[in-house]
Amino acid sequence: MRTLIVLTLLAVLVMAATCYESHESMESHEYLNPFLNRRRANDFIQADTRLRAITQERIRERSKAPQEHQRELCEDYYPCELYAFRHGYAAAYKHYFGRRRTK
């Protein structure tokens, strides 16, 4: 019986020593509010520069020159591309896409 009381007291002391919440851990502001607001989170995380470059490329695609757009259309269509090698992209585009073919 005496050993059981001693073991119980020893277990209580070990538990108290390992589960004690010190005052220093409560001083931290993360203890009360572990989440950051959006503005503070953006202070140390920088935007991905690769994403910014992709966005700018998409903007440039929307505002292409008409000649560049015509050249890309011609490059996608193989007969037009072959015609462009001999006569130029402007003539090839005009030959294949310039006139509307209706039946």
Side-chain angles (χ1 to χ4, degrees):
M1 182 74 170
R2 189 177 227 179
T3 56
L4 183 62
I5 294 173
V6 171
L7 286 176
T8 305
L9 285 174
L10 186 61
V12 168
L13 285 174
V14 169
M15 187 176 70
T18 58
C19 297
Y20 174 71
E21 186 73 33
S22 68
H23 180 66
E24 286 106 18
S25 65
M26 289 185 189
E27 287 177 355
S28 173
H29 68 280
E30 287 115 7
Y31 178 74
L32 299 173
N33 190 8
F35 302 105
L36 296 174
N37 65 13
R38 290 181 184 150
R39 291 184 187 140
R40 283 200 56 220
N42 288 335
D43 288 344
F44 60 90
I45 297 176
Q46 297 297 322
D48 191 9
T49 56
R50 196 170 34 118
L51 182 63
R52 187 177 302 133
I54 290 172
T55 305
Q56 289 178 354
E57 178 66 27
R58 295 294 174 249
I59 291 170
R60 272 187 245 121
E61 282 180 2
R62 285 189 219 134
S63 59
K64 286 183 182 174
Q67 292 84 5
E68 187 176 355
H69 184 65
Q70 291 173 0
R71 182 178 177 139
E72 287 180 355
L73 278 174
C74 194
E75 284 176 348
D76 290 339
Y77 186 54
Y78 186 69
C80 182
E81 188 176 17
L82 289 178
Y83 192 88
F85 286 140
R86 288 191 178 177
H87 305 284
Y89 279 101
Y93 181 82
K94 188 174 182 181
H95 179 75
Y96 283 99
F97 301 107
R99 13 176 204 177
R100 300 277 180 189
R101 296 181 183 176
T102 56
K103 290 186 178 181

